[in-house]
C-alpha cells in the first residue's frame, strides 16, 4: 500500500511538471496535459471574476450568459450540437476567474473548442435571451443563496474582510438594474488577449494550441485590473429563518499563498479521518453533539481568508462550539505540540494533493500560474510545507489574532453571540 501511495504521488508530481504553458500566435495562453485518458476537458479561464466587475452582479450575469447565441450558433444550436457529441458544458464564477468548461470524448476537441471560442469571440448578448433565460436563473440562484446560511456567511465575510475587490459579491443583488448592455460591455473588456487562457486535460498541447489559434481570434486591449487587496475585518449580523444557526470567525492575510496558514487551517480542522469518530482535534472533542465546526481556507492571488464556520441546531450550541473554536485558535498562537504539528502538516499535504486529484482540479490549480503567477505544482507545495515549523505556524496564528477579526452571525441574531462573547 505504501508503494502504491508513493507511486501515485510521483504520478501527480509528474503530471504537474509536464504541464506545459505556451503563448500561441493568437496571443492566448494555452496549456495542456495528456496522459491517455478517454475523455478530454478544455476550460477557458477569463480574468472576469467578481473582483473585476464594474458593478455588483455583472460578473454573475456574464456567467449565466454562457453558451447563449453567438454569431455562429443559436443557444438551441449549441445545446443540440453538444448533446449530439455527448459532451457537457458548464460555467463557474469565482472571485478572480470565470471558467467555461467543455467535457467530451477524446477526438471531438475541434467541435467543443469551437463552441467555447464562439462564445468568447462573438457572443450576441441579446436582450430577449437576457430577459427570458439569464435573468430567471440569476433570480433563482440569488433566492437559493439568500436561504443558505453558509453561503450568506461566507459572502458577508468577504465583504467585511476586503470590502472592494475580493469583497465584491459573487451574486447579483436581489434588486438590481443590470441589463444585457452592461454584460456586453463587461465582456468586451474581459474577452481580450492577456485576459483569456485555455487549459486542457486529455488533449495534446500542440492540437489545443492549433485549435485555439483557429477559434480565439481576440482583440488586443488592456488587461482588467483590481486594486491590491487590503484586509479590514469587522462584525455583521444577518437574520435567517432556514437552516442551522451559523457563525463565521475568521481573519485575513495579504500576499501570496502561505503554507503556514494552510497548515494552521489543517490544524484547526476537526474533520476526523474516520467517519463517526471525533478525531484528535481540540475543537472536535469540545463541541456539543448538535453542532459542527469546519475550517475554511480560501487563498487568492494576493490575499487569503482563513477561519472557522460554526453551525448548530440552537444558538446555545453554536455559542459553546464557537468558544471552543476560538480557544483552539488562541491555543495555536501560544504554541503547537510537535505531534499535533506533524499531524497538521500531513493533513495539509493531503488537502493539497486531493485538490489536483482530478482533471478539473489540475486545471483550476494552475489557473493562476498560466496568467503569470508563481509556478504551481504539487511538488513545490509539498516542499513549502516541509520547510515550515511548529513555531512558524504559531507565529502565523498570533499575527492573525493581532488583526481585527471577521465575525459573521446568521440566524436568530437576537440570541446568537457577539465576537467578544467568544473571547475575541
Amino acid at each position: 500500500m505504501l508503494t502504491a501511495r508513493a507511486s501515485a504521488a510521483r504520478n501527480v508530481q509528474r503530471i504537474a511538471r509536464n504541464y506545459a504553458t505556451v503563448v500561441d500566435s493568437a496571443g492566448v495562453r494555452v496549456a495542456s496535459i495528456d496522459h491517455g485518458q478517454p475523455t478530454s476537458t478544455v476550460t477557458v479561464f477569463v480574468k472576469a471574476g467578481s473582483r473585476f466587475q464594474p458593478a455588483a452582479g455583472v460578473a454573475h450575469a456574464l456567467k449565466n450568459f454562457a453558451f447563449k447565441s453567438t454569431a455562429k450558433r443559436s443557444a438551441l444550436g449549441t445545446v443540440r450540437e453538444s448533446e449530439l457529441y455527448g459532451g457537457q458544458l458548464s460555467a463557474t464564477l469565482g472571485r478572480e476567474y470565470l471558467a467555461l468548461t467543455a467535457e467530451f470524448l477524446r477526438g471531438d476537441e475541434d467541435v467543443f473548442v469551437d463552441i467555447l471560442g464562439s462564445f468568447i469571440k462573438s457572443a450576441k448578448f441579446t436582450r430577449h435571451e437576457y430577459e427570458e433565460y439569464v435573468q430567471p436563473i440569476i433570480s433563482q440562484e440569488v433566492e437559493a443563496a439568500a436561504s443558505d446560511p453558509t453561503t450568506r456567511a461566507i459572502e458577508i465575510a468577504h465583504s467585511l474582510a476586503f470590502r472592494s475587490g475580493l469583497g465584491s459579491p459573487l451574486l447579483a443583488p436581489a434588486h438590481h438594474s443590470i441589463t444585457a448592455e452592461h454584460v456586453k460591455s463587461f465582456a468586451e473588456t474581459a474577452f481580450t488577449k492577456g485576459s483569456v487562457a485555455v487549459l486542457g486535460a486529455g488533449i495534446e498541447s500542440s492540437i489545443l494550441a492549433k485549435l485555439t489559434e483557429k477559434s480565439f481570434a481576440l482583440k488586443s486591449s488592456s488587461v482588467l485590473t483590481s486594486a491590491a487587496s487590503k484586509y479590514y475585518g469587522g462584525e455583521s449580523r444577518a437574520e435567517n429563518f432556514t437552516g442551522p444557526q451559523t457563525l463565521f470567525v475568521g481573519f485575513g492575510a495579504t500576499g501570496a499563498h502561505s503554507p503556514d496558514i494552510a497548515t494552521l487551517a489543517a490544524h484547526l480542522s476537526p474533520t476526523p479521518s474516520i467517519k463517526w469518530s471525533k478525531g484528535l482535534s481540540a475543537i472536535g472533542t469540545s463541541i456539543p453533539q448538535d453542532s459542527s465546526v469546519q475550517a475554511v481556507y480560501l487563498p487568492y492571488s494576493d490575499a487569503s481568508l482563513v477561519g472557522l464556520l460554526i453551525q448548530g441546531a440552537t444558538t446555545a450550541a453554536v455559542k459553546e462550539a464557537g468558544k471552543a473554536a476560538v480557544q483552539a485558535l488562541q491555543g495555536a498562537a501560544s504554541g503547537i505540540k510537535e505531534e499535533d504539528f506533524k499531524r497538521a502538516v500531513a493533513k495539509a499535504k493531503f488537502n493539497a494533493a486531493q485538490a489536483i486529484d482530478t482533471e478539473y482540479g489540475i486545471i483550476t490549480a494552475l489557473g493562476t500560474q498560466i496568467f503569470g503567477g508563481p509556478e504551481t505544482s504539487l511538488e513545490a507545495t509539498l516542499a513549502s510545507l516541509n520547510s515550515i515549523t511548529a513555531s512558524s505556524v504559531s507565529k502565523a496564528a498570533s499575527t492573525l489574532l493581532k488583526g481585527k477579526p471577521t465575525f459573521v452571525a446568521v440566524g436568530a441574531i437576537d440570541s446568537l453571540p457577539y465576537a467578544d462573547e467568544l473571547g475575541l
Side-chain angles (χ1 to χ4, degrees), residues 299-353:
Y300 299 102
S301 61
D302 63 348
S304 59
L305 183 64
V306 61
L308 296 161
L309 184 71
I310 304 146
Q311 296 183 306
T314 66
T315 56
V318 167
K319 183 175 182 179
E320 185 178 344
K323 287 182 177 179
V326 171
Q327 288 172 1
L329 178 58
Q330 293 170 337
S334 300
I336 301 176
K337 296 179 181 178
E338 191 62 29
E339 182 179 347
D340 293 336
F341 169 70
K342 290 180 179 179
R343 187 164 54 243
V345 170
K347 186 179 289 188
K349 288 180 178 180
F350 177 80
N351 293 340

Side-chain angles (χ1 to χ4, degrees), residues 23 29 67 86 90 94 158 161 177 200 203 228 253:
V23 177
R29 294 181 175 91
F67 312 118
S90 61
H158 278 86
S177 57
I203 178 173

Side-chain angles (χ1 to χ4, degrees), residues 10 32 63-64 70 82 115 121 150 203 226 230 283 292 374 395 412:
R10 286 194 295 270
S32 184
K63 186 267 292 187
N64 286 315
T70 69
S82 61
I115 288 175
K121 186 172 62 175
T150 299
I203 178 173
S226 173
K230 182 179 179 182
I283 298 176
S292 65
K395 183 178 179 181

Side-chain angles (χ1 to χ4, degrees), residues 14 107 124 262 371:
R14 193 175 296 116
K124 289 185 175 180
F371 278 111

Side-chain angles (χ1 to χ4, degrees), residues 59-78:
H60 183 202
L62 177 60
K63 186 267 292 187
N64 286 315
F65 241 124
F67 312 118
K68 300 299 185 290
S69 295
T70 69
K72 194 169 185 178
R73 297 175 179 84
S74 65
L76 180 59
T78 298

